[in-house]
């Protein structure tokens, strides 16, 4: 294991850490474990260095420390030394995956996920068709009625309960952009794998709103999963494979922006430049891709949505609040834009959620791999939600959306509040007013 850490983990990044402790109060796992240093960024960096130097022998406790990390990167904005923790935890997971013995089931599952479902949009669509069959055939009702889901871990049962209804394929295929001949802003839309399957209605509304704001929307073919799950799971080489496919698909001067509506995807997409800077064939194209990448909230603001929202009037509908997508905030530095849109949305009073900047516990597939810690973090998050009592909890990422839906469901608050994607929230606010008009 030591040799793998030497090969993969950047020593200069490790020595940037001054052990000042500014990261501690920003780390959800450190706080959730009653200030256990091994579950803090500072403690994990110390373990990385000790593994690299051969001062610590690899065992289960070391592995637990790294596995418990959410990868939320909240420690980065808090760090006065600019430690690149995101790169370090990615490199650490690469070092582990390269030498850690794997059982057949794990090998098979990783191959199916990273070389199959999340490497080919067609395979992702096929997987989602199975979910659609499960929902539409009556199988879902039957399994719930007989209590079959009780055989699974509680969190998997909860996640099954908040899965969005999957639309039929024919309906999905029709929902594509209708370019405006008078558009002055040209946009390429990164649809995402989960967003364009489980949350395709949100994608449809994204396109509709962009066109309403005067943009011409193009959806490049051959785009794939962004590669974030690969990168966060020690499979960065496969994430880079996806990155190259996406760069090729979007490499055109025909549009001004590449827009996405999933915070977790957006962070990895914006770092294509970093991951491919040493690649002579892709470095320049990756830099161009990353420069054009923008989040949907940021683009809505640039296209003047705030002013359009202020023109609308509506009856008071309650409090709206916002739960940050960790990567959108900590990597892309986008947090003011979505709040400004919610503040200007008609009919709602915006109020800040307590610790909105802290992770909700979703973190990609973390809530499936580390359900106990994810639950503790979500329970803490829901204390703030219950204190605020909003009608809407708005998010900017599909994983965060489902996680907050689980929290609301677990607390029995479904009749009092909803968790919604920011695009769905804004689209509904505008659509309601247009109906009234």
């Amino acid at each position: 294991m030591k040799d793998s850490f030497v090969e993969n983990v950047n020593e200069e990044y490790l020595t940037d850490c001054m052990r000042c402790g500014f990261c501690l109060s920003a780390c959800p796992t450190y706080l959730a474990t009653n200030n256990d240093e091994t579950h803090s960024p500072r403690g994990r960096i110390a373990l990385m260095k000790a593994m690299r130097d051969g001062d610590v022998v690899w065992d289960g406790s070391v592995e637990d420390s790294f596995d418990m990390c959410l990868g939320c990167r909240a420690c980065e904005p808090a760090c006065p030394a600019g430690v690149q923790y995101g790169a370090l935890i990615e490199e650490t997971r690469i070092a582990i995956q390269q030498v850690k013995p794997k059982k057949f089931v794990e090998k098979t599952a990783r191959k199916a996920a990273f070389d199959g479902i999340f490497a080919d949009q067609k395979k992702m669509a096929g997987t989602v068709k199975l979910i659609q069959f499960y929902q539409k055939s009556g199988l879902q009702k039957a399994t719930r009625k007989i209590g079959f889901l009780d055989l699974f871990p509680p969190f998997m049962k909860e996640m099954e309960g908040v899965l969005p209804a999957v639309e039929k394929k024919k309906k999905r295929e029709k929902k594509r952009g209708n370019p405006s001949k008078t558009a002055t802003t040209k946009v390429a839309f990164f649809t995402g794998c989960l967003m364009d399957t489980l949350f395709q209605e949100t994608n449809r509304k994204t396109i509709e709103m962009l066109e309403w704001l005067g943009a011409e929307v193009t959806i490049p073919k051959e785009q794939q999963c962004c590669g974030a799950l690969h990168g966060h799971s020690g499979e960065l080489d496969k994430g880079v494979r996806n990155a190259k496919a996406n760069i090729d698909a979007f490499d055109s001067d025909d549009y001004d922006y590449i827009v996405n509506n999933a915070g977790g995807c957006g962070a990895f997409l914006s770092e294509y430049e970093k991951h491919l800077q040493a690649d002579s064939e892709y470095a320049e194209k990756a830099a161009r891709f990353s420069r054009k990448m923008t989040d949907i909230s940021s683009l809505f603001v640039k296209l003047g949505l705030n002013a359009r929202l202020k023109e609308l009037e509506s009856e008071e509908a309650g409090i709206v609040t916002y739960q940050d997508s960790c990567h959108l905030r900590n990597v892309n530095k986008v947090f003011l834009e979505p709040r400004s849109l919610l503040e200007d949305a008609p009919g709602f009073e915006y109020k800040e959620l307590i610790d909105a900047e802290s992770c909700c516990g979703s973190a990609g597939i973390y809530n499936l791999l580390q359900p106990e810690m994810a639950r503790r973090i979500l329970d803490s998050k829901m204390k703030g939600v219950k204190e605020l009592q909003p009608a809407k909890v708005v998010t900017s990422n599909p994983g965060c959306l489902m996680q907050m839906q689980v929290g609301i469901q677990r607390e029995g608050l479904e009749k009092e509040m909803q968790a919604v994607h920011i695009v769905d929230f804004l689209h509904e606010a505008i659509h309601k007013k247009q109906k009234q008009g």
Side-chain angles (χ1 to χ4, degrees):
M1 189 67 75
K2 175 183 181 296
D3 291 343
S4 188
F5 269 74
V6 171
E7 179 184 349
N8 291 290
V9 182
N10 189 311
E11 187 174 22
E12 288 185 16
Y13 290 172
L14 290 172
T15 55
D16 284 340
C17 178
M18 304 183 298
R19 298 189 57 78
C20 65
F22 277 89
C23 61
L24 300 181
S25 62
C27 178
T29 54
Y30 175 75
L31 298 175
T33 54
N34 296 316
N35 304 345
D36 184 342
E37 186 75 22
T38 60
H39 294 303
S40 72
R42 181 174 70 178
R44 291 186 178 106
I45 289 173
L47 279 175
M48 293 171 193
K49 190 173 188 309
M51 285 298 304
R52 198 180 191 282
D53 294 342
D55 296 334
V56 168
V57 177
W58 176 259
D59 63 16
S61 65
V62 176
E63 185 173 12
D64 285 345
S65 175
F66 296 136
D67 286 348
M68 200 72 75
C69 177
L70 291 147
C72 68
R73 295 171 68 170
C75 51
E76 291 185 5
C79 179
V83 173
Q84 297 188 50
Y85 182 83
L88 282 171
I89 194 65
E90 281 183 0
E91 291 171 355
T92 294
R93 287 172 173 163
I94 292 169
I96 294 168
Q97 288 303 319
Q98 284 188 357
V99 298
K100 178 187 171 184
K102 299 181 188 69
K103 294 181 180 179
F104 174 77
V105 173
E106 183 183 357
K107 278 185 179 179
T108 303
R110 292 181 74 89
K111 184 170 181 60
F114 300 129
D115 290 325
I117 296 172
F118 294 105
D120 187 336
Q121 288 286 71
K122 292 179 181 177
K123 291 179 180 177
M124 171 62 76
T127 302
V128 172
K129 280 182 69 176
L130 295 177
I131 297 175
Q132 182 200 13
F133 174 78
Y134 169 72
Q135 291 176 336
K136 305 293 185 183
S137 65
L139 188 59
Q140 184 179 51
K141 289 182 180 179
T143 55
R144 290 177 176 179
K145 187 175 182 179
I146 66 175
F148 180 71
L149 293 171
D150 293 335
L151 300 175
F152 293 86
F155 201 80
M156 290 188 69
K157 181 180 178 182
E158 291 171 336
M159 292 300 289
E160 187 274 347
V162 299
L163 280 173
V166 181
E167 299 174 355
K168 293 182 180 179
K169 183 178 180 181
K170 189 173 288 186
K171 193 175 182 181
R172 287 203 304 266
E173 289 176 339
K174 289 181 179 179
K175 292 183 177 179
R176 286 296 181 257
N178 180 27
S180 169
K181 294 179 180 179
T182 60
T184 57
T185 302
K186 297 186 177 182
V187 177
F189 182 33
F190 182 83
T191 59
C193 48
L194 285 179
M195 290 303 299
D196 208 36
T197 48
L198 287 179
F199 297 94
Q200 57 197 299
E201 183 67 9
T202 304
N203 273 6
R204 182 190 68 78
K205 291 174 182 176
T206 300
I207 295 166
E208 189 176 308
M209 286 190 64
L210 286 170
E211 292 177 344
W212 182 67
L213 290 167
E216 178 181 325
V217 183
T218 300
I219 303 176
K221 296 180 180 179
E222 308 303 328
Q223 57 179 295
Q224 300 295 339
C225 166
C226 66
L229 284 178
H230 304 77
H232 300 159
S233 304
E235 306 274 3
L236 184 59
D237 57 332
K238 294 175 183 177
V240 169
R241 171 202 60 198
N242 281 30
K244 290 180 177 179
N246 286 325
I247 289 168
D248 287 337
F250 284 84
D251 192 32
S252 170
D253 294 325
D254 292 342
Y255 36 79
D256 308 300
Y257 300 101
I258 302 170
V259 67
N260 75 88
N261 58 11
C265 297
F268 198 77
L269 291 165
S270 68
E271 292 192 327
Y272 279 3
E273 179 179 7
K274 179 185 76 174
H275 291 308
L276 286 159
Q277 59 187 343
D279 189 302
S280 58
E281 182 182 355
Y282 278 89
E284 186 177 337
K285 291 195 290 185
R288 185 162 58 245
F289 181 98
S290 292
R291 283 196 300 270
K292 288 186 177 183
M293 179 55 59
T294 188
D295 167 67
I296 189 63
S297 296
S298 303
L299 188 54
F300 279 164
V301 170
K302 288 176 182 175
L303 294 176
L305 180 55
N306 292 80
R308 302 287 290 271
L309 290 171
K310 288 177 182 178
E311 295 171 356
L312 304 175
E313 294 181 3
S314 182
E315 294 180 2
E316 185 62 39
I319 295 169
V320 61
T321 194
Y322 182 70
Q323 166 60 33
D324 282 288
S325 157
C326 292
H327 288 102
L328 183 60
R329 182 183 182 108
N330 299 324
V331 180
N332 293 129
K333 314 302 180 190
V334 175
F335 51 91
L336 295 177
E337 292 89 341
R339 285 170 168 81
S340 75
L341 292 167
L342 298 183
E343 287 170 354
D344 291 334
F348 286 88
E349 177 188 5
Y350 177 78
K351 287 190 177 181
E352 186 72 5
L353 179 64
I354 298 170
D355 295 329
E357 74 283 0
S358 68
C359 187
C360 64
S362 171
I365 56 173
Y366 183 92
N367 50 10
L368 300 178
L369 301 176
Q370 300 288 336
E372 183 181 343
M373 179 56 70
R375 184 185 187 98
R376 288 159 71 178
I377 291 170
L378 180 57
D379 286 346
S380 177
K381 176 68 61 179
M382 289 306 298
K383 289 179 183 177
V385 174
K386 287 189 290 184
E387 184 176 327
L388 189 60
Q389 286 293 305
K392 305 281 187 181
V393 180
V394 177
T395 74
S396 298
N397 190 61
C400 302
L401 173 59
M402 293 181 71
Q403 182 80 340
M404 296 308 296
Q405 287 173 334
V406 165
I408 290 169
Q409 184 183 76
R410 188 185 295 162
E411 297 291 342
L413 298 171
E414 303 98 315
K415 294 181 180 179
E416 301 173 35
M417 63 183 70
Q418 290 180 303
V420 295
H421 191 283
I422 191 167
V423 170
D424 295 322
F425 173 81
L426 295 170
H427 184 278
E428 182 182 6
I430 294 166
H431 188 64
K432 271 188 177 180
K433 182 58 185 174
Q434 288 176 337
K435 270 190 172 181
Q436 293 169 4

